[in-house]
Amino acid sequence: MEPPEQSDQELLRLMLEGDEAAFTALYRRRQGAIFRFALQMGGSRAMAEEVTQETFLTLIQEARRYDPARGSVAAYLYGIARNQVLRRLDSEKASAPLEPRENDQGAVAAGLAAGDDLLGSLLGREQVERVRAAVLALPARYREVVVLCDLHEIDYAEAARALDCPIGTVRSRLHRGHRMLAGKLAARPRAGFCQSRSLAALVATPQAADSDTPVEGCSGGL
Amino acid sequence: MERYCPEDEIVELARGRLDPDARQAVAAHARECRECAALLAGEEALAAGLRALAAGQQAEQAPPALEAALGMAFRERAAKPEPAGARAVGRVLISLVTWRRAAALAAASLALVACLLWWRAQPAAPQGQGVTAGPPARPLPQAAPQRPAEAPPAATKVAQARRPARSASKRRITKPPADEAQQAGSESEFVVLPGTPPWALQDGARLVRATMPRSALVSFGLPVNAERAGQPIRVDLILSEDGVARAIRFAGQVETQERRRK
């Protein structure tokens, strides 16, 4: 029988005592999420690597500053990663690229193919890339909430701890972010297109999204 | 009477975060309210798109090398915990080393290419020219007194650098090989090349003597007398374990056939 999995906090405690195996276990458990968070926030694999590195270096150096009363270890790591991402975005003064990068595009496609994901096959690579580009085009304060709550599916309380803001702020930013995303995804080349129809096309066929036929009874917009 | 539309709950319903009772009530409302039905359809489509995006990126991971590098950083940290006052400096060094490493790689690559090209162009190179790798003839000099307590961990090995390099002069920690020293033919002190992290000069570093044209010094960020740019000089290079040149010093003039004739 396998030994019970140690909690993040237990691993952190052992790590503080100098247990490298505990650090490695914690790293392996959390590095993927941190890397993806940075990738989804910044759109750059290189930045994601740097942020992951800096996040865990910070953990190595400042783990004693972690306060369990203020949230989980995961939220703590997300918080560090978020600060690293924002610092880089600020210093580079460049918004994330809207065009998918070659490597990242390939990775998304490979992930869809390898995962035999039903949604992925329904939506197709093009639609997924549109969603990805729309998320990257959101202002950072909305993007981080969408990435944490929607893409990483962490609850509002955890997101609030990671972002160091009230839960109500997380909720309102998430809803606002959804509105903005809906607007970006509905902004097809043909003007005057019904947003609901365009959004619905995300889960329908690509041809439907290109149709000029207005949806009957659509009042235009979400 | 005006009807209440639970917009927030509809968003939560689309995201699958409502409890069963609330789910039933909100779904019932959406069936009767045209606006809420449209909102729900849009939110469901968006939620599906976001789920598909998350699924497509689920396999994304940090590169495997990062784990090994962070493990080394952890061991370094565990072996010699930093005093509180040194932390800030250490952090700065860690962040700087990512681009410094790239600068060193670029400089070393340029120098080696120049050296190779020059060496191949010499028809009658005197004995001893060229790169002579091998065990050091003497113990490695202390080329990088860079405060080991603040040494950035090896984790930075895998970082990608995208920032511009600084000039070598900003990183000089010992007396540079001035042209006078070169003229005199004496050995100068080692100059640490830009982007050299302290760990690079500690474990596995080796000393290599090479002959190169003076002009190749430019690629190390060192000054060159234009009139003698084509003359060969002998240098000692300290290579880190990964083969990257980390420090350089002038080791004397090369006595060419032309010089001998004079």
Side-chain angles (χ1 to χ4, degrees):
Chain A
M1 197 177 97
E2 287 187 13
E5 197 174 65
Q6 288 169 302
S7 70
D8 286 354
Q9 288 194 17
E10 178 65 8
L11 290 175
L12 192 66
R13 186 186 65 76
L14 292 171
M15 185 190 132
L16 284 169
E17 293 172 1
D19 186 341
E20 186 182 346
F23 169 72
T24 304
L26 186 57
Y27 172 79
R28 287 180 182 167
R29 188 181 294 173
R30 296 295 169 196
Q31 59 85 14
I34 296 301
F35 182 83
R36 287 191 293 280
F37 171 75
L39 182 63
Q40 289 153 351
M41 283 295 293
S44 154
R45 193 175 303 278
M47 180 197 279
E49 287 179 21
E50 280 186 8
V51 168
T52 307
Q53 172 185 298
E54 290 295 321
T55 300
F56 285 94
L57 278 174
T58 302
L59 181 70
I60 289 171
Q61 298 191 338
E62 299 175 9
R64 291 185 193 283
R65 295 177 62 183
Y66 166 69
D67 179 4
R70 296 188 61 194
S72 67
V73 174
Y76 176 66
L77 290 172
Y78 275 126
I80 298 170
R82 179 239 190 183
N83 290 338
Q84 292 287 340
V85 167
L86 294 182
R87 195 176 302 161
R88 280 165 174 74
L89 292 178
D90 284 346
S91 66
E92 290 177 5
K93 292 203 179 300
S95 58
L98 300 187
E99 294 301 322
R101 300 181 187 201
E102 192 178 342
N103 288 343
D104 300 346
Q105 199 174 20
V108 171
L112 289 175
D116 192 23
D117 179 66
L118 177 60
L119 280 169
S121 61
L122 282 172
L123 289 163
R125 176 173 154 177
E126 186 184 346
Q127 280 90 346
V128 173
E129 283 305 325
R130 283 183 58 214
V131 175
R132 178 178 171 278
V135 171
L136 276 173
L138 287 174
R141 65 180 179 278
Y142 299 111
R143 193 188 326 155
E144 62 192 13
V145 179
V146 168
V147 167
L148 284 177
C149 296
D150 286 323
L151 300 184
H152 290 241
E153 296 187 332
I154 71 172
D155 61 37
Y156 295 147
E158 282 287 273
R161 291 183 193 112
L163 304 176
D164 197 22
C165 67
I167 291 179
T169 303
V170 171
R171 194 186 292 268
S172 63
R173 283 185 184 171
L174 184 65
H175 291 187
R176 173 77 178 138
H178 278 201
R179 295 288 186 278
M180 296 169 82
L181 274 180
K184 290 176 189 301
L185 291 168
R188 300 289 289 174
R190 293 179 177 86
F193 202 77
C194 173
Q195 290 182 344
S196 297
R197 174 62 184 271
S198 186
L199 268 175
L202 274 172
V203 286
T205 61
Q207 289 79 10
D210 290 334
S211 168
D212 277 331
T213 311
V215 176
E216 195 175 337
C218 176
S219 55
L222 297 170
Chain B
M1 192 178 84
E2 198 168 312
R3 184 168 49 179
Y4 166 70
C5 290
E7 286 190 17
D8 287 352
E9 285 78 4
I10 284 173
V11 172
E12 298 305 310
L13 175 65
R15 300 176 68 237
R17 292 198 176 194
L18 278 186
D19 60 63
D21 288 345
R23 192 187 314 150
Q24 211 166 6
V26 175
H29 171 84
R31 280 194 293 274
E32 294 173 0
C33 174
R34 197 169 174 165
E35 287 180 5
C36 288
L39 175 61
L40 181 59
E43 285 291 337
E44 283 176 340
L46 183 57
L50 289 167
R51 279 199 297 272
L53 175 60
Q57 294 182 322
Q58 194 58 37
E60 293 284 358
Q61 304 273 317
L66 187 55
E67 180 180 322
L70 284 168
M72 287 179 67
F74 183 86
R75 286 190 292 277
E76 283 181 17
R77 170 74 179 174
K80 38 183 179 182
E82 282 178 284
R87 278 183 197 154
V89 181
R91 299 292 305 164
V92 170
L93 285 175
I94 288 166
S95 63
L96 288 179
V97 81
T98 53
W99 65 264
R100 283 183 173 164
R101 178 174 171 75
L105 283 172
S109 302
L110 276 172
L112 289 175
V113 167
C115 191
L116 185 63
L117 289 174
W118 178 85
W119 179 71
R120 293 186 69 165
Q122 300 297 308
Q127 201 174 10
Q129 281 195 359
V131 174
T132 53
R138 50 186 172 246
L140 283 177
Q142 293 300 311
Q146 294 186 43
R147 293 182 291 180
E150 296 165 7
T156 49
K157 280 184 180 179
V158 295
Q160 301 291 320
R162 294 182 304 285
R163 286 176 238 183
R166 286 184 186 169
S167 69
S169 59
K170 292 183 180 174
R171 288 273 293 158
R172 273 180 206 144
I173 55 173
T174 56
K175 191 178 174 183
D179 229 32
E180 292 74 19
Q182 296 174 20
Q183 283 177 338
S186 61
E187 288 181 347
S188 66
E189 292 179 72
F190 272 94
V191 176
V192 178
L193 296 173
T196 297
W199 56 260
L201 296 166
Q202 293 167 359
D203 299 326
R206 59 201 167 99
L207 183 66
V208 169
R209 175 154 291 184
T211 304
M212 62 172 64
R214 276 179 194 277
S215 56
L217 293 176
V218 173
S219 59
F220 291 112
L222 301 174
V224 173
N225 184 331
E227 291 175 1
R228 297 185 294 149
Q231 291 179 1
I233 55 166
R234 189 171 290 129
V235 296
D236 288 334
L237 294 167
I238 295 179
L239 307 182
S240 55
E241 198 171 15
D242 52 5
V244 176
R246 300 299 189 178
I248 187 173
R249 75 173 174 190
F250 178 69
Q253 298 276 7
V254 175
E255 197 168 343
T256 60
Q257 290 173 337
E258 186 182 346
R259 194 187 298 272
R260 259 187 244 123
R261 279 198 295 273
K262 287 178 184 174

